[in-house]
Amino acid sequence: MNELEARLAQLAALQQTITYGQLARDLAIPGPGAIARLTQALETLMEIDALAAHPLRAALCAGRLAQGLPAPGFFIKAAHLGYILGDNPEEFVLHHRQALWAAAKS
């Protein structure tokens, strides 16, 4: 998890996002189940972030076919954690990304 957290902190500092596939490659997560293992780690991180009332670091991930947004599982998990997604998922993600980028600057 530490490598994942460090990579996401680096992305926040650079104000960048990353696809799940690229993140799995960056972290050298092996095998055909790499994305599933990465997703589980990201969901655990979402739980930690929610408990600490921090922006969701998993918002920095983008699904390859999701037009720059995280995969649907991100939104399902966020709703399960009690977040109000509203009618505009882009705004929800942008809010978290901007908070992460701002926190990385300080």
Side-chain angles (χ1 to χ4, degrees):
M1 184 82 81
N2 291 336
E3 288 180 51
L4 173 60
E5 291 176 292
R7 183 66 177 114
L8 291 173
Q10 180 184 44
L11 289 165
L14 297 170
Q15 296 188 3
Q16 294 179 344
T17 61
I18 193 167
T19 65
Y20 295 93
Q22 185 60 54
L23 184 56
R25 286 188 292 279
D26 288 356
L27 299 175
I29 300 173
I35 299 298
R37 288 191 297 281
L38 175 61
T39 299
Q40 181 59 50
L42 287 166
E43 288 185 356
T44 298
L45 206 53
M46 289 175 74
E47 293 169 1
I48 292 167
D49 290 342
L51 284 172
H54 291 156
L56 299 174
R57 291 173 280 183
L60 296 174
C61 293
R64 190 170 42 95
L65 302 175
Q67 300 171 329
L69 295 176
F74 168 83
F75 298 102
I76 293 167
K77 183 67 175 183
H80 185 74
L81 291 170
Y83 288 92
I84 306 300
L85 303 178
D87 295 333
N88 191 335
E90 292 88 358
E91 284 183 19
F92 178 79
V93 171
L94 184 60
H95 168 77
H96 285 271
R97 287 178 179 172
Q98 288 177 334
L100 290 163
W101 295 335
K105 285 184 181 180
S106 29

